[in-house]
Amino acid sequence: MLQQTQVAAVVPYYNRWLRRFPTIRSLARATESDVLHAWQGLGYYARARNLHRCSKLIDEKFGGIFPSDPNELKSLPGIGRYTANAIAAFAFDQPLPLVEANTGRVLARLFNVRDPIDSSSGRRKLWESSAKLVCSKPARDFQNAMMDLGSLICIVRNPRCQICPVRKFCRVRDPASLPRKRKRAAIVPLIESHRLCTIGDALLLEQCYQRWRGMWILPRLELDGLKPSSLSPRPIHTSVFPFTNHRVTLRVYRQRAHHVDPRVQRWFRKEELNAIPIPSPHRRAINAFFTSKRAAESHRKRSLE
DNA sequence: AAGACGGGGTT
DNA sequence: AACCCAGTCTT
């Protein structure tokens, strides 16, 4: 959960997750839909699918025992060099190098790594630096201290060098100038149109196969790129959300259900929507629709009285 | 080596 | 509006 996601955002998900899947086996036995539902809103859903696959592998191939060898850990889906070493270091107290956002920033400054830390040369130098520092005695404590140093003192902006315990070893001149990062890809605007169809209190949704795979969204409408003219119907909902290097404008049109494809589309009653995985922008659009509908109904009721 | 992959919070 | 985040996988 913590991969590319801040601790504060993870905490409530983590607590709910452990209540819902208390053991590796209970996760292994869950459906992918339930797993994605528990993850919805956190983003990077491949992490949830990987963790699910991971639990099945551990349940079936590792006798339910989590491996402690970093190489075995790295062979599991979603566990790369950082996570493998982090599990081995924190759970099993093994002296291994760790480079993530916090320790990466600390190491870049300590060793004055001027290459972008997300370039291959920068990454290589950081891992080499980390390997130089790991000591075997308090392996777990050392890495905890490195991460705390990064999150509390050697912070992104306005690093608190005055109170830094390792200040005299630090080789960087201007700490705020490091770490550097590669220039990021330009933001590409995107317009996506979807339809909102209801029958009674049931809503038509469509299964995703690419982005948000395994989750449910409002059915796609193939008029992307077309400018809304005065002739076309107005969207009942418009929102803008960032998606990796895109800026997506989401337009939702009220429509009758003419083309229902039973292979990928399904009707859900309003209450059922709470139990299926829906990505945040679509969940917000759906909520906005039901909220305005309820408001309209109560207004009509008041007028009748 | 670069791009894809989320979403919410902070500056 | 840009940047940030306990990275990993695919191309």
Side-chain angles (χ1 to χ4, degrees):
Chain A
M1 283 182 177
L2 288 162
Q3 291 168 357
Q4 289 290 282
T5 305
Q6 299 185 342
V7 174
V10 162
V11 168
Y13 281 88
Y14 179 77
N15 290 328
R16 283 198 299 268
W17 184 275
L18 284 190
R19 262 205 313 276
R20 196 155 170 180
F21 310 113
T23 63
I24 293 176
R25 172 154 291 172
S26 67
L27 179 59
R29 299 275 198 266
T31 66
E32 182 175 274
S33 184
D34 272 344
V35 170
L36 289 172
H37 183 255
W39 204 278
Q40 73 174 351
L42 251 193
Y44 285 153
Y45 297 96
R47 296 178 296 177
R49 289 188 289 268
N50 283 334
L51 191 52
H52 193 204
R53 289 171 57 202
C54 217
S55 71
K56 293 181 178 196
L57 283 168
I58 291 175
D59 187 44
E60 293 162 11
K61 304 258 196 300
F62 291 78
I65 307 297
F66 224 101
S68 60
D69 170 34
N71 288 319
E72 269 184 291
L73 287 164
K74 219 171 329 190
S75 75
L76 292 166
I79 299 186
R81 175 148 61 150
Y82 164 71
T83 306
N85 284 10
I87 293 170
F90 292 125
F92 302 107
D93 206 22
Q94 298 182 46
L96 294 164
L98 285 190
V99 178
E100 41 72 73
N102 294 298
T103 60
R105 184 170 53 252
V106 172
L107 293 166
R109 288 172 176 161
L110 264 181
F111 291 88
N112 194 28
V113 176
R114 326 241 330 146
D115 317 56
I117 59 169
D118 49 359
S119 67
S120 42
S121 63
R123 266 194 295 267
R124 180 174 48 74
K125 289 180 182 176
L126 292 183
W127 280 97
E128 285 169 2
S129 307
S130 180
K132 278 179 199 153
L133 290 186
V134 291
C135 41
S136 56
K137 285 198 290 188
R140 177 189 289 139
D141 295 344
F142 170 74
Q143 294 297 0
N144 264 324
M146 284 291 284
M147 293 180 70
D148 284 349
L149 187 59
S151 70
L152 299 173
I153 293 172
C154 195
I155 52 185
V156 181
R157 281 173 288 264
N158 307 320
R160 308 175 66 185
C161 301
Q162 312 78 12
I163 61 168
C164 180
V166 295
R167 182 178 191 176
K168 64 169 148 180
F169 307 114
C170 191
R171 298 190 193 161
V172 70
R173 307 231 175 98
D174 175 14
S177 70
L178 292 186
R180 294 179 175 173
K181 288 194 178 173
R182 284 202 330 256
K183 270 199 79 82
R184 63 180 57 196
I187 302 288
V188 178
L190 221 53
I191 296 175
E192 294 183 353
S193 304
H194 295 262
R195 52 198 183 105
L196 194 151
C197 309
T198 56
I199 291 183
D201 73 335
L203 174 70
L204 186 65
L205 294 181
E206 180 175 283
Q207 194 127 50
C208 275
Y209 284 98
Q210 299 209 327
R211 178 200 309 171
W212 296 321
R213 184 154 50 90
M215 305 181 79
W216 295 88
I217 59 168
L218 296 168
R220 303 194 61 116
L221 198 51
E222 303 302 337
L223 43 80
D224 301 359
L226 268 64
K227 290 255 161 94
S229 71
S230 54
L231 295 174
S232 42
R234 296 168 58 79
I236 60 165
H237 173 89
T238 301
S239 60
V240 178
F241 63 95
F243 187 91
T244 44
N245 62 327
H246 301 286
R247 179 180 315 289
V248 183
T249 299
L250 170 63
R251 296 203 177 112
V252 179
Y253 297 86
R254 192 83 167 98
Q255 271 206 352
R256 299 202 169 280
H258 21 259
H259 297 58
V260 175
D261 182 349
R263 289 170 303 177
V264 294
Q265 297 177 341
R266 246 200 69 186
W267 293 97
F268 290 95
R269 301 189 50 189
K270 194 181 165 189
E271 308 82 53
E272 294 180 289
L273 297 178
N274 298 322
I276 59 169
I278 299 174
S280 294
H282 286 252
R283 165 104 35 207
R284 282 193 292 267
I286 293 165
N287 286 343
F289 168 73
F290 282 119
T291 301
S292 67
K293 188 171 162 221
R294 196 165 58 235
E297 280 164 1
S298 77
H299 180 265
R300 196 171 61 228
K301 194 171 159 191
R302 276 201 308 278
S303 318
L304 290 172
E305 284 166 1

